[in-house]
Amino acid sequence: FLYFPETHGISFRIHINVKELLDTDVLLKLLFHLPVNYPSTLPDISVNSDQLTRAQCMDVKDKLLEQAKKHLSEPMVHDLILWVQQHLKDVIKQSATVCNKKPALSKGTEDGIWMLLLHLDHMRAKAKYVKTVEKWASNLRLTGRLMFMGKIILILLQGDRSSIKEYLILQKTSKVDVDSGGKKCKEKMMSVLCETELQSQHKRFQTFEIKEYSALEELQKEFEVAGLKTLFSEFVPPLLK
């Protein structure tokens, strides 16, 4: 898929098969996000593969970013893809062996667990929008809440940092809603209130749920139970003004 958001640069996915790797074909799913000032700024890269562990995917990503630094200020995506096809074997040899199981939801990865709080201005096609957010959260193994209180719409997510980044790209670049004329449109009115590593006092959400609250106190309680009292008081009251 190729997206051209006006202000966020370009995002695209590339799926490549790397052969002869311990007698297994490895399907690599690469997500590149090229910032507006690319190639003088490095791209964001996300690496996923059902045949590799989370740690191996992180290794591949780190190595790709190392390569990207060598090509700074010249278009590099094509070179990076060629590089990964030629060197995947070596990168993975340094990690554990290839497994065909999907990685389980791990308690902690090299990146730790991250948390994201988003504010949406509105949802015109609410049912479709909610379904899309649920699907993304499930695909990226993110937990948290989609919260409605009066006109306030918040999305609180927890998961691997790379999944959080990929979620943000999807949210910014996919046609998730409809405009006033009923035509599909991208999310232009979203703000990232907070993106941070989960601290020991924060509780992990085990599931992703959609919740409606009738009063601010109820919403505040949801945050407090999760050990996120400061997050609430810093970001939510200003939205009421």
Side-chain angles (χ1 to χ4, degrees), residues 75-100:
M76 63 186 81
V77 173
H78 183 63
D79 291 327
L80 293 179
I81 290 162
L82 290 178
W83 184 89
V84 81
Q85 284 174 313
Q86 288 160 4
H87 295 91
L88 185 67
K89 232 186 227 177
D90 312 327
V91 176
I92 287 167
K93 257 191 206 135
Q94 295 157 14
S95 315
T97 52
V98 172
C99 70
N100 281 313

Side-chain angles (χ1 to χ4, degrees), residues 48 58-59 71 73 90 122 136-137 153 163 166 183 197 216:
N48 279 296
M58 293 305 297
D59 285 346
H71 292 284
S73 79
D90 312 327
H122 61 271
W136 289 342
I153 307 168
S163 301
E166 192 163 339
K183 275 174 51 192
E197 192 161 5
L216 191 63

Side-chain angles (χ1 to χ4, degrees), residues 116-171:
L116 179 70
L117 180 63
L118 300 175
H119 173 239
L120 301 181
D121 187 70
H122 61 271
M123 283 183 181
R124 283 202 177 88
K126 185 174 170 182
K128 176 182 171 286
Y129 205 133
V130 168
K131 246 202 188 95
T132 306
V133 169
E134 273 188 301
K135 191 176 102 192
W136 289 342
S138 147
N139 289 350
L140 293 166
R141 301 204 297 284
L142 296 170
T143 59
R145 299 283 182 268
L146 169 52
M147 303 178 273
F148 295 93
M149 202 240 30
K151 287 198 162 139
I152 292 180
I153 307 168
L154 296 169
I155 302 177
L156 181 63
L157 295 169
Q158 295 176 345
D160 287 337
R161 191 176 188 184
S162 55
S163 301
I164 293 264
K165 280 197 179 315
E166 192 163 339
Y167 179 91
L168 263 177
I169 292 172
L170 286 169
Q171 180 83 53

